[in-house]
Amino acid sequence: MKILLLKEPKESELGQDPYIKELALYEFDATLIPVLSFEFVSLQSFFEKLSHPEDYAGLVFTSPRAVEAIKLCLADNDKKEAWTNSLKKQWQSKPVYVVGKATALLVTAIGLVPQGDESGNAEKLAEHICSKESRGCSPLLFPCGSIKREVLPKILRHQNISLESLTVYQTVQHPNLEESLAQYFLQVGTPASITFFSPSGVKFCLGHIQALAGDFINHIKFAAIGPTTAEAMAAEGIRVSCTAKNPTPQDLALRIKEALKQ
């Protein structure tokens, strides 16, 4: 069966995207189409804040791109030296809260120790933060995207936990998205299942998919990588056939297998 995954390819240690690899174990023929493109902004301002860890209680990352913003800052030799010589050690003494394993791995790669990665979504991470942080203290530094949900900030605000947000990347539609979708439907046809990996993916893809699939759209089993994406899909009138309990290749593949049996 043909499966369409609306995400960018990501190579594993064996050189194959882990979602493609996992779905192949169930004899699914999966294809990846990149949906999003990211433009990084305010990096100088971000590094200035990173240069004053004494002003913050810790860091919060809810996406891999926010961590990539630090890596881009460290491409500058002077900034990298400052990070290596002192800043990294100072941030290591503070909590670094993250959503998901992918973000946690990137945090580890820059020398910090993540926590809360098992939370899986912003709401659960906020609950974890509330169980750890003192009220009314220094703010947590929250580098984020231009399209962010207000769930985490709202929960923390209600608990009197200060959060300082800074937009470090903007989410835009991938320049090749429309052409890639058209080519897929022309060459492969309507897939048995389509998986969305973010609310932004729903926003940018849905109209194209509806136009390309036509009446066959009712035969597609739509899957979501997590509850936040599932909510965005349902809000657009999409019937969500399955949602991964955890945002992992193993859980998603299993859920898709079960949904296609129905």
Side-chain angles (χ1 to χ4, degrees):
M1 287 186 177
K2 305 294 184 181
I3 308 294
L4 179 57
L5 305 176
L6 298 171
K7 67 180 288 292
E8 70 283 354
K10 186 173 183 180
E11 293 186 356
S12 66
E13 294 178 356
L14 299 177
Q16 187 180 39
D17 183 276
Y19 286 90
I20 296 287
K21 180 180 177 182
E22 191 66 28
L23 286 162
L25 297 177
Y26 295 101
E27 300 184 349
F28 292 137
D29 182 8
T31 299
L32 301 172
I33 292 182
V35 172
L36 308 176
S37 183
F38 303 100
E39 300 172 354
F40 289 90
V41 297
S42 305
L43 294 183
Q44 182 59 38
S45 177
F46 182 29
F47 193 77
E48 288 174 2
K49 294 179 184 297
L50 287 172
S51 299
H52 294 281
E54 69 277 5
D55 292 342
Y56 300 98
L59 283 161
V60 178
F61 295 106
T62 57
S63 76
R65 267 74 57 188
V67 189
E68 289 170 11
I70 292 186
K71 294 175 69 176
L72 286 174
C73 290
L74 299 184
D76 180 275
N77 287 334
D78 290 340
K79 292 182 174 66
K80 184 176 182 179
E81 184 177 358
W83 177 262
T84 303
N85 291 343
S86 64
L87 294 177
K88 179 170 67 173
K89 185 175 181 180
Q90 293 179 66
W91 282 110
Q92 284 173 337
S93 67
K94 300 173 182 290
V96 181
Y97 300 106
V98 306
V99 170
K101 299 294 182 183
T103 306
L105 286 172
L106 288 174
V107 165
T108 301
I110 60 172
L112 302 180
V113 180
Q115 62 170 281
D117 51 295
E118 70 287 345
S119 54
N121 60 56
E123 183 175 6
K124 290 182 180 178
L125 180 64
E127 293 171 357
H128 176 79
I129 293 173
C130 289
S131 72
K132 298 287 185 178
E133 290 297 315
S134 300
R135 275 60 176 168
C137 293
S138 299
L140 294 163
L141 180 57
F142 179 34
C144 55
S146 55
I147 303 175
K148 73 176 189 300
R149 297 176 74 238
E150 291 299 323
V151 172
L152 186 142
K154 184 177 180 180
I155 293 174
L156 297 189
R157 187 164 56 247
H158 285 173
Q159 294 296 322
N160 196 29
I161 295 175
S162 182
L163 187 73
E164 184 176 319
S165 302
L166 177 68
T167 298
V168 295
Y169 67 91
Q170 296 175 338
T171 304
V172 297
Q173 178 177 308
H174 194 282
N176 299 327
L177 174 61
E178 189 171 355
E179 181 183 353
S180 297
L181 284 171
Q183 286 295 319
Y184 178 86
F185 276 82
L186 178 65
Q187 296 172 4
V188 179
T190 303
S193 177
I194 296 178
T195 301
F196 287 98
F197 283 76
S198 70
S200 297
V202 177
K203 173 185 175 183
F204 294 134
C205 288
L206 183 56
H208 299 311
I209 291 171
Q210 288 172 327
L212 291 164
D215 293 339
F216 289 102
I217 197 164
N218 295 324
H219 299 290
I220 301 172
K221 299 287 188 180
F222 286 98
I225 192 60
T228 302
T229 301
E231 289 174 9
M233 293 164 66
E236 293 295 335
I238 302 177
R239 181 183 177 188
V240 183
S241 297
C242 63
T243 303
K245 184 177 180 181
N246 297 296
T248 64
Q250 294 77 16
D251 200 73
L252 178 65
L254 180 61
R255 303 298 171 185
I256 290 175
K257 178 189 175 185
E258 293 171 347
L260 289 173
K261 283 184 177 179
Q262 298 174 5

